[in-house]
């Protein structure tokens, strides 16, 4: 049987992966009808909003959606219709780390993946190519295939592909326009290769063929975990060195610059910070830890676990440095936290270092002003409530204030903590900030963002991650 020519695509899940990925496919493949489905009515309403107030912030995304929506890009809550009409279905649902049961704290929760798979099997009346887009543990595709085959209707055939995303939030649209590689994993049967060819032809509308890699199903699944684990490992490595720099008086920027000049190492992901966050790095490493333990490889599990432990240590160390520098107590003092997203140019707060820092400052009985240019207030409160279980929102709001601007957040504060590297924080009128702060006025730069020397000339006491002294 010849490979299917894809004419209709359905994506189950309208989040950070499914939304941008399928919007770009619609833009680059005007001959393919793309429908993104999600059971969350409010989210779909946002994707369809007349003023393009999209549910996620990503530079360039609005422009893509404006060009395609209503032409060959559609957003709907009618999941069944999307499944029935599609030739190819992306499963792009959330796979958070399990919070209870076997593997709690490490294993991925595949409940949403299984529900989506069962719905495809129940609804589909013709053969489909089903593409696993969510980040999943090795051999998840095998489980999906078992469910689909056990529940399929007569003459319905399902071919499973793995097509992990390698997007960096903040540059996702650029990453989609010009990917380093597109990875497609399939069974090595003729049917599997035909399905792989069908998806390859979709991407080949704009991606050079030498960047579309066809591999085995299990290799594809593991490659995604491996890529994120190794990137996170680099961050934890440079953060470990930043602690040594602070103790010795070396400068982590200079060390990273020197090391990055080695062509075998390269300069990327060697920027020290208060710690990595986001939906992928920690989740994928913990997944790798759980996988290693399941395979009776405890030494391998311990190795990867240390990457996450170093990240937690970095956040705790930074919080302690704030307390130590402010004369060993921040009780009753006001701390301005600039940034709540896990990185600049995104509104995503998952595993954000700012959440841990604010929680630590709360434990020290400080008052916190927080400002972020993109994160909705409701998301900030939801995240803080999650790490303060049982604490009523009214009690939280007595200790934490969400400010309308960076300048407002810094008013009457003893210290400013830079938790996210938003460009606007570099360009603040720091002289105005200094005028309205309590003295001595401290700045703690957790992102190597500001010019410490200029700030010292204004009068600030500046502490920069990876550098010793004030």
């Amino acid at each position: 049987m010849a490979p299917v020519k894809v004419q209709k695509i359905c994506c189950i899940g309208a989040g950070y992966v499914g939304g941008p990925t399928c919007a770009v496919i619609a833009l680059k493949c005007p001959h393919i009808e793309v429908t993104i489905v999600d059971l969350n009515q409010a989210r779909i309403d946002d994707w369809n909003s007349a003023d393009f107030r999209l549910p996620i912030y990503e530079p360039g995304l609005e422009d893509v959606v404006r060009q395609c929506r209503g032409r060959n890009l559609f957003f709907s809550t009618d999941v069944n219709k999307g499944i029935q009409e599609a030739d190819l279905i992306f499963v792009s649902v959330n796979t958070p780390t399990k919070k209870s049961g076997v593997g709690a704290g490490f294993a991925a929760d595949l409940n949403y993946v299984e529900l989506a798979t069962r719905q495809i099997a129940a609804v589909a009346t013709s053969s489909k190519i089903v593409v696993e887009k969510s980040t999943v543990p090795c051999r998840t595709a095998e489980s999906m295939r078992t469910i689909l085959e056990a529940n399929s209707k007569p003459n319905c055939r399902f071919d499973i592909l793995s097509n992990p995303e390698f997007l960096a939030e903040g540059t996702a649209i650029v990453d989609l326009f010009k990917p380093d590689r597109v990875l497609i994993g399939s069974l090595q049967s003729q049917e599997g290769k035909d399905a792989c060819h069908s998806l390859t032809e979709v991407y080949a509308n704009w991606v050079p063929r030498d960047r579309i890699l066809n591999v085995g199903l299990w290799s594809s699944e593991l490659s995604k975990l491996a890529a994120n684990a190794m990137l996170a490992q680099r961050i934890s490595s440079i953060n470990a060195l930043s602690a040594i720099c602070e103790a010795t008086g070396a400068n982590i920027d200079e060390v990273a610059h020197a090391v990055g000049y080695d062509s075998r190492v390269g300069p990327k992901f060697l920027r020290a910070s208060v710690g990595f966050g986001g939906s992928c790095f920690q989740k994928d490493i913990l997944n790798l830890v759980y996988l290693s333990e399941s395979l009776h490889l405890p030494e391998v599990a311990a190795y990867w676990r240390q990457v996450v432990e170093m990240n937690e240590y970095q956040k705790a160390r930074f919080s302690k440095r704030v307390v130590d520098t402010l004369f060993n107590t921040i009780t009753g003092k006001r701390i301005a936290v600039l940034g709540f997203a896990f990185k600049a140019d995104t509104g995503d707060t998952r595993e954000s270092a700012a959440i841990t820092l604010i929680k630590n400052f709360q434990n020290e009985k400080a008052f916190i002003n927080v400002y972020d240019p993109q994160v909705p207030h409701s998301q900030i409160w939801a995240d803080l409530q999650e790490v303060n279980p049982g604490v009523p929102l009214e009690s939280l709001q007595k200790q934490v204030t969400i400010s309308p601007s960076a300048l407002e957040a810094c008013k009457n504060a003893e210290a400013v903590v830079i938790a996210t590297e938003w460009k606007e924080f570099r360009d603040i009128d720091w002289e105005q900030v200094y005028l309205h702060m309590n003295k001595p006025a401290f700045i703690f730069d957790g992102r190597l963002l500001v010019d410490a020397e200029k700030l010292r000339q204004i009068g600030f006491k500046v502490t920069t991650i990876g550098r010793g002294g004030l």
Side-chain angles (χ1 to χ4, degrees):
M1 199 173 80
V4 173
K5 189 176 190 320
V6 176
Q7 294 176 308
K8 289 191 175 184
I9 289 174
C10 171
C11 175
I12 301 176
Y16 277 94
V17 175
T21 301
C22 287
V24 168
I25 289 175
L27 179 71
K28 298 294 188 180
C29 308
H31 56 288
I32 297 177
E33 185 179 300
V34 180
T35 303
I36 301 174
V37 296
D38 200 295
L39 293 174
N40 185 326
Q41 183 71 58
R43 179 178 288 174
I44 292 298
D45 288 346
D46 286 345
W47 281 111
N48 284 323
S49 59
D51 58 357
F52 289 89
R53 283 184 171 271
L54 305 183
I56 59 176
Y57 173 73
E58 190 63 49
L61 176 60
E62 183 186 323
D63 185 50
V64 172
V65 175
R66 278 182 183 275
Q67 291 183 64
C68 304
R69 197 178 73 187
R71 183 192 74 186
N72 68 321
L73 176 63
F74 305 94
F75 298 91
S76 172
T77 54
D78 192 342
V79 179
N80 289 355
K81 182 170 182 278
I83 291 169
Q84 282 172 337
E85 294 183 353
D87 309 307
L88 183 147
I89 301 167
F90 285 111
V91 177
S92 188
V93 295
N94 196 15
T95 52
T97 302
K98 284 182 76 173
K99 292 185 176 177
S100 60
V102 176
F106 293 92
D109 185 344
L110 299 178
N111 182 43
Y112 299 119
V113 172
E114 182 172 335
L115 289 173
T117 306
R118 288 187 180 279
Q119 190 162 0
I120 292 168
V123 170
T125 52
S126 59
S127 296
K128 312 286 179 191
I129 298 169
V130 179
V131 184
E132 155 194 280
K133 197 77 185 159
S134 307
T135 303
V136 291
C138 257
R139 304 193 86 86
T140 300
E142 189 170 25
S143 306
M144 291 172 72
R145 193 161 65 103
T146 302
I147 291 167
L148 289 168
E149 287 178 356
N151 294 281
S152 64
K153 296 179 178 64
N155 303 317
C156 261
R157 170 182 178 78
F158 296 103
D159 289 298
I160 304 281
L161 298 176
S162 166
N163 175 219
E165 54 83 18
F166 294 99
L167 307 178
E169 288 183 44
T171 59
I173 300 302
V174 175
D175 296 342
L176 285 161
F177 281 0
K178 291 189 171 179
D180 289 342
R181 79 296 205 191
V182 171
L183 192 60
I184 304 173
S186 69
L187 290 174
Q188 296 306 292
S189 62
Q190 189 55 52
E191 294 87 353
K193 289 177 180 177
D194 285 347
C196 184
H197 177 82
S198 296
L199 184 55
T200 297
E201 290 305 304
V202 172
Y203 283 113
N205 282 284
W206 79 96
V207 180
R209 287 183 184 272
D210 62 353
R211 292 189 174 232
I212 304 174
L213 310 181
N214 297 154
V215 299
L217 207 47
W218 323 133
S219 297
S220 175
E221 289 179 329
L222 185 57
S223 294
K224 165 65 174 175
L225 299 182
N228 277 345
M230 293 184 82
L231 291 173
Q233 179 195 50
R234 281 175 74 100
I235 297 171
S236 279
S237 295
I238 204 70
N239 282 345
L241 290 168
S242 76
I244 297 174
C245 287
E246 289 170 27
T248 60
N251 181 327
I252 193 61
D253 257 351
E254 293 174 350
V255 173
H257 186 64
V259 170
Y261 252 80
D262 187 326
S263 59
R264 297 167 301 174
V265 178
K268 292 184 177 179
F269 280 78
L270 289 183
R271 191 162 184 82
S273 70
V274 68
F276 61 74
S279 64
C280 289
F281 282 2
Q282 177 162 313
K283 180 181 77 172
D284 289 357
I285 295 170
L286 294 176
N287 225 316
L288 210 48
V289 169
Y290 185 69
L291 177 66
S292 302
E293 288 178 340
S294 302
L295 297 171
H296 309 294
L297 300 169
E299 293 83 1
V300 177
Y303 176 81
W304 288 113
R305 187 185 283 111
Q306 192 58 41
V307 174
V308 175
E309 288 178 1
M310 177 54 62
N311 194 52
E312 293 305 310
Y313 168 71
Q314 186 77 342
K315 290 183 276 189
R317 198 172 67 77
F318 188 75
S319 301
K320 185 176 184 299
R321 201 172 180 198
V322 172
V323 176
D324 291 350
T325 305
L326 265 66
F327 317 111
N328 297 314
T329 180
I330 57 173
T331 300
K333 294 178 181 176
R334 191 162 292 280
I335 312 289
V337 175
L338 299 186
F340 197 84
F342 83 89
K343 64 186 264 193
D345 295 322
T346 180
D348 195 351
T349 62
R350 286 175 288 184
E351 305 296 343
S352 174
I355 298 170
T356 306
L357 296 180
I358 291 171
K359 172 66 174 164
N360 290 346
F361 298 154
Q362 285 179 283
N363 291 344
E364 295 286 340
K365 297 184 170 53
F367 294 101
I368 301 108
N369 292 350
V370 60
Y371 165 72
D372 189 282
Q374 282 298 334
V375 179
H377 292 191
S378 58
Q379 186 63 53
I380 294 175
W381 292 127
D383 288 333
L384 292 180
Q385 281 188 288
E386 189 175 336
V387 294
N388 289 280
V391 178
L393 182 59
E394 301 73 43
S395 300
L396 268 181
Q397 290 173 335
K398 287 175 184 170
Q399 204 176 356
V400 179
T401 304
I402 300 176
S403 302
S405 69
L407 282 175
E408 201 61 39
C410 298
K411 274 187 183 171
N412 302 317
E414 248 86 9
V416 175
V417 172
I418 299 174
T420 310
E421 69 280 17
W422 287 104
K423 183 178 179 293
E424 71 173 78
F425 299 156
R426 189 188 292 128
D427 304 331
I428 292 171
D429 185 343
W430 285 107
E431 291 188 359
Q432 276 299 309
V433 170
Y434 185 74
L435 279 177
H436 294 101
M437 281 181 68
N438 292 336
K439 310 297 184 298
F442 294 88
I443 291 180
F444 297 88
D445 184 0
R447 294 289 174 180
L448 299 177
L449 188 72
V450 294
D451 185 330
E453 209 40 59
K454 275 188 183 172
L455 294 179
R456 288 191 184 104
Q457 287 168 12
I458 293 170
F460 287 105
K461 306 280 187 186
V462 184
T463 298
T464 303
I465 205 153
R467 296 179 199 165
L470 275 178

